[in-house]
Amino acid sequence: MSALPVLLIVWAVFSACFLALLAYKGQLTRYEEDQLFLSEGVPAHAQQMQTDIVRKVTKITPFVRVFGVAAAIMTAGIIGIFTWDAWQHLR
């Protein structure tokens, strides 16, 4: 049995997790404000919401990086194996 189908399944899992994390991060940052309020009149609730959003995004950022790098490495590996296999069949 070839290793390529197994690698494709593992790649699909890593890529699906990576895309799900990106979608979740996008959903979180959708409500993040682009303004910085320097006055004292800012409601504490708005500041607390921003702090919670930043905390959640900071918490998932390492996972986004890990799954992104893993998906990229798996992609390069699958392309390399496929190219090597095609080269062997052409010779």
Side-chain angles (χ1 to χ4, degrees):
M1 182 174 171
S2 176
L4 194 57
V6 175
L7 284 175
L8 286 173
I9 292 169
V10 173
W11 172 80
V13 169
F14 278 118
S15 296
C17 290
F18 177 60
L19 292 175
L21 284 171
L22 284 179
Y24 177 66
K25 185 177 176 182
Q27 190 70 12
L28 285 176
T29 57
R30 181 172 60 158
Y31 297 112
E32 187 173 14
E33 295 291 331
D34 292 336
Q35 301 175 14
L36 178 63
F37 299 103
L38 298 176
S39 67
E40 295 294 326
V42 177
H45 175 68
Q47 184 179 3
Q48 181 63 33
M49 279 182 22
Q50 289 299 108
T51 305
D52 289 341
I53 290 170
V54 170
R55 182 182 48 82
K56 288 177 183 178
V57 169
T58 305
K59 191 175 183 180
I60 66 167
T61 298
F63 295 108
V64 172
R65 288 184 183 148
V66 166
F67 280 107
V69 168
I73 290 172
M74 292 294 295
T75 301
I78 289 170
I79 290 170
I81 289 173
F82 182 76
T83 305
W84 178 260
D85 188 44
W87 180 259
Q88 293 300 318
H89 280 74
L90 288 176
R91 286 207 291 164

